[in-house]
Amino acid sequence: MTDTYAQIDWSASRTADAVAAARRALVAQGMPAQSALAPPAAAPVAVQRSSARIRSFGSTRSVAGKPALYALISVLIIVLGIAGVWKANVAFAPEMYARNGMEPAAKAHAAGKNYAVFDLNLNIRRWKEELVSRLTSTPDVVVLGASHWQEAHAGLVRSERMFNGHVHRDYWEDLLGVVEVYVRNNRLPKRMIIAIRDKQFTPLDMRKDFLWEPGIANYRAMADRLGLPKEAAWKTFPYQRMRERLSLSMLFNNLTRWYNAKQRPRETAELHFDHLDTLLPDGSILWSADHMAIFTPERARRDALSFAEHARGSPPVVDPRGLEAFDALLEFLKKQGVQVVLVHPPFNPIFYDAVKNSAYLEGLDKIRAITNGFAAKYGLHVIGEFDPAKVGCSADQFIDAEHANPACLQKVFDQYDALLPRLKIEAQGKQL
């Protein structure tokens, strides 16, 4: 086949020579000379097309700018929405989320009054911190522990002024953090009753609750005071509390609770309410009539058996760092002249009977051994017992598997009252 493409000599050194060579080659192929290569007159067309492309590009930039603006507006709306949910949760549940949410309660207590709240879903560590900072005098004895002690009012200790320093779901960091509050406010008492519960020394990465998060700052302060290594900041950051404040479902619950409430939180001289729980100046609580109606023997039994079913194969786990920290704390309190009494909170008999011959009960024996070891090292006394039969508590004195009412708790504090004369003699001996 004959090649029909023009053979052009591109070897010319100048552009004009190259163009002439191209024309000659095209003419040789039979193309009219006037049409060989595009005439100069065609150049404005190219310029026009180029201008059109420029105008088109400018128009594209204008259109492209709008999605960027829309994206920016969308981001701002999302940020404002998140901030709105955060602020609304704080506004409608200040006792749980506002930094100063427990100040009204503490101010009421400082004036000798009670404070009514929706329920005990509140920042109880912050409540106690505010309350201790406003104490006008130092109590004779303070009880530290978890919610097992929430109904332990001051009258359960007959011979001394008691303050209830409990916080919900305490762990070993709380042992340090709660004591820090008393040290900082110069309110260390003569004696402290410190409770050791089954999950007291649970390692941080094995916990499934987050109520301990607000107390971390105080724990870190006491750890520094004792010269102890601290938990990593990223492990103790209050992630869960931040998630709750950003939760739409939490906002819905808080809003509906607020607007459907027949009674709302307030300072009061009254003790009992139909729909509100009561915080008392001695650090204890009283249940509302609504809650008392829920706490039936049948419910307590179901809860105890269900709790036992899950607990039987899950013995308490002990973090060695927790033991080291508590050891240092006991040494510190000894140097400060504070007498410490250790106590175990009793369980519901239904629960305790259901976990017999289980790995959980074996773990409970290890917690007893740890407590007795500290008692032997520092010459401390141990009262109470996990086994309710040894305390004298019955199933009808519990609202669930582990929370006793004042009738059962009275038996524990009776042991303290009986021990008190000996404690005073020991204190005098140390002073001499």
Side-chain angles (χ1 to χ4, degrees):
M1 175 181 287
T2 304
D3 183 4
T4 58
Y5 290 99
Q7 301 297 314
I8 301 174
D9 181 8
W10 296 101
S11 63
S13 60
R14 295 185 306 163
T15 302
D17 295 338
V19 171
R23 283 182 174 175
R24 286 194 298 271
L26 292 173
V27 169
Q29 292 292 326
M31 181 178 292
Q34 64 269 24
S35 64
L37 296 181
V45 176
V47 172
Q48 291 173 3
R49 288 176 180 172
S50 176
S51 297
R53 285 197 297 271
I54 292 173
R55 287 194 298 272
S56 174
F57 177 71
S59 175
T60 302
R61 287 180 60 189
S62 176
V63 172
K66 291 181 180 179
L69 179 61
Y70 294 154
L72 178 60
I73 292 173
S74 298
V75 170
L76 288 175
I77 291 173
I78 292 172
V79 170
L80 289 174
I82 291 173
V85 171
W86 179 289
K87 285 186 172 294
N89 272 321
V90 171
F92 288 98
E95 294 87 1
M96 176 62 89
Y97 300 119
R99 173 67 181 172
N100 62 348
M102 294 310 301
E103 282 187 8
K107 289 179 179 178
H109 298 329
K113 294 185 178 180
N114 308 316
Y115 197 80
V117 292
F118 285 127
D119 52 45
L120 296 186
N121 289 313
L122 50 85
N123 188 345
I124 198 164
R125 287 162 178 79
R126 188 63 184 163
W127 171 39
K128 294 302 172 69
E129 192 171 351
E130 294 283 358
L131 185 48
V132 171
S133 70
R134 289 172 171 81
L135 290 176
T136 56
S137 61
T138 302
D140 295 317
V141 59
V142 172
V143 58
L144 304 183
S147 54
H148 306 84
W149 310 97
Q150 60 193 3
E151 292 190 68
H153 58 80
L156 296 183
V157 174
R158 299 183 175 93
S159 51
E160 289 190 315
R161 289 187 309 114
M162 181 185 79
F163 179 77
N164 188 333
H166 84 280
V167 295
H168 291 167
R169 307 256 180 108
D170 76 324
Y171 290 99
W172 61 264
E173 294 93 341
D174 283 307
L175 295 173
L176 276 65
V178 173
V179 171
E180 169 65 23
V181 173
Y182 293 88
V183 174
R184 187 169 64 239
N185 289 285
N186 195 28
R187 286 289 177 258
L188 273 179
K190 299 175 185 176
R191 283 169 279 278
M192 279 188 164
I193 303 173
I194 300 180
I196 303 297
R197 69 183 183 110
D198 55 341
K199 298 180 181 179
Q200 194 78 57
F201 300 105
T202 301
L204 186 62
D205 56 2
M206 295 185 65
R207 299 173 194 171
K208 298 180 180 179
D209 52 79
F210 306 92
L211 294 177
W212 50 268
E213 289 182 344
I216 287 300
N218 291 326
Y219 147 71
R220 297 178 74 84
M222 178 54 79
D224 287 337
R225 192 185 295 275
L226 300 178
L228 294 171
K230 299 184 291 291
E231 294 277 11
W234 67 268
K235 286 186 176 183
T236 56
F237 190 78
Y239 299 106
Q240 178 63 21
R241 289 181 62 77
M242 293 186 68
R243 284 195 294 266
E244 288 177 356
R245 278 175 280 194
L246 295 173
S247 168
L248 286 172
S249 62
M250 185 68 72
L251 177 58
F252 176 78
N253 291 337
N254 290 332
L255 282 171
T256 53
R257 181 180 69 170
W258 181 264
Y259 286 109
N260 292 332
K262 298 177 182 178
Q263 299 172 310
R264 289 183 179 171
R266 62 184 184 274
E267 176 184 305
T268 178
E270 300 178 61
L271 288 173
H272 299 283
F273 293 87
D274 290 337
H275 311 295
L276 300 175
D277 296 330
T278 310
L279 307 180
L280 302 181
D282 63 9
S284 65
I285 67 100
L286 291 172
W287 295 112
S288 66
D290 287 344
H291 275 134
M292 292 302 296
I294 294 172
F295 300 148
T296 62
E298 294 77 15
R299 178 186 179 278
R301 180 178 180 80
R302 287 195 306 271
D303 183 271
L305 292 175
S306 175
F307 191 42
E309 182 180 352
H310 289 90
R312 283 184 60 84
S314 301
V317 180
V318 174
D319 186 343
R321 292 174 301 176
L323 299 182
E324 178 186 357
F326 188 44
D327 194 329
L329 180 66
L330 291 175
E331 181 67 32
F332 171 80
L333 291 174
K334 181 179 180 180
K335 290 179 180 179
Q336 298 300 314
V338 178
Q339 285 184 296
V340 173
V341 176
L342 301 179
V343 61
H344 290 149
F347 285 104
N348 187 326
I350 297 172
F351 168 83
Y352 196 82
D353 290 343
V355 296
K356 286 182 177 178
N357 302 316
S358 69
Y360 175 83
L361 200 62
E362 293 176 2
L364 217 55
D365 287 336
K366 292 181 181 179
I367 300 298
R368 286 190 183 94
I370 288 170
T371 304
N372 292 332
F374 282 127
K377 180 175 181 178
Y378 291 100
L380 310 179
H381 299 278
V382 181
I383 62 174
E385 232 299 323
F386 294 128
D387 184 350
K390 294 182 179 180
V391 178
C393 295
S394 55
D396 61 348
Q397 295 172 336
F398 288 81
I399 63 173
D400 52 26
E402 54 186 356
H403 292 97
N405 67 20
C408 170
L409 297 177
Q410 180 68 76
K411 299 175 188 287
V412 177
F413 287 103
D414 283 347
Q415 294 181 13
Y416 173 78
D417 272 330
L419 180 63
L420 189 54
R422 184 174 176 181
L423 291 173
K424 291 181 177 180
I425 292 173
E426 291 174 354
Q428 291 175 354
K430 291 177 181 178
Q431 292 174 358
L432 295 175

